[in-house]
């Protein structure tokens, strides 16, 4: 069902410290793992200190005022990319990711982007979720990380 039909679901752009705290909370709960703080710090620092040629928007989805999802969208030229998207475990498969994606695509279109892309780990739940949102796999590549880091990973 379209995200617009989910009662009480609202997607907003991070505009102040309270919004940023909600974005962080969803990020931590939705993408837990040993490196979550490093990923989150990189995301927020990129948003705060973005280069002049890069646009970055952080989005938060709320249901009845409670933050349930987040997404970060980047633009360089006519390319837009989703860096991270997550929903809190108690709200998965209820429309937040779809609503966030719809808003991100709308923003990218307003920017004049011709392509929107993301990357995820093959054969994991996120890949199927993105396919349900209409994304198609264009290519696969190998990724490299130290074995001890891979052993501790709980998300890609």
């Amino acid at each position: 069902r379209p995200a617009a039909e989910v009662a009480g679901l609202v997607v907003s752009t991070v505009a102040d410290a309270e919004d940023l705290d909600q974005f962080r909370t969803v990020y931590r709960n939705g993408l837990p793992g040993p490196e979550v703080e490093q990923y989150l710090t990189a995301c927020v620092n990129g948003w705060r200190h973005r280069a002049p040629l890069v646009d970055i928007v952080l989005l938060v989805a709320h249901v009845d005022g409670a933050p349930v999802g987040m997404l970060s969208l980047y633009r360089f030229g006519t390319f837009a990319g989703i860096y991270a998207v997550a929903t809190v475990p108690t709200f998965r498969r209820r429309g937040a990711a779809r609503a966030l994606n719809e808003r991100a695509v709308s923003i990218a279109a307003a920017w004049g982007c011709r392509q929107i892309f993301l990357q995820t780990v093959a054969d994991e739940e996120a890949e199927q979720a993105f396919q349900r949102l209409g994304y198609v796999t264009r290519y696969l590549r190998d990724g490299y990380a130290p074995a001890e880091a891979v052993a501790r990973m709980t998300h890609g």
Side-chain angles (χ1 to χ4, degrees), residues 46-56 75-77:
W47 176 70
R48 282 188 173 146
H49 309 290
R50 60 188 160 268
L53 298 176
V54 177
D55 290 306
I56 302 173
R75 178 185 74 98
F76 183 77

Side-chain angles (χ1 to χ4, degrees), residues 5 14 23 30 37 46 49-50 77 95 99 109 114 130 136-137 139 144 151:
E5 295 177 10
V14 170
F23 179 90
E37 291 304 320
H49 309 290
R50 60 188 160 268
R114 297 168 46 141
F130 290 123
V136 296
T137 301
Y139 66 92
Y144 300 94

Side-chain angles (χ1 to χ4, degrees), residues 128-140:
Q128 287 103 34
F130 290 123
Q131 288 170 344
R132 286 191 300 273
L133 293 175
Y135 289 88
V136 296
T137 301
R138 294 298 222 184
Y139 66 92
L140 297 173

Side-chain angles (χ1 to χ4, degrees), residues 27-28 33-45 83 152:
Y27 198 115
R28 287 181 183 114
E35 290 87 17
V36 68
E37 291 304 320
Q38 290 93 335
Y39 287 130
L40 180 53
T41 298
C43 180
V44 171
N45 285 342
Y83 171 75
R152 294 189 318 266

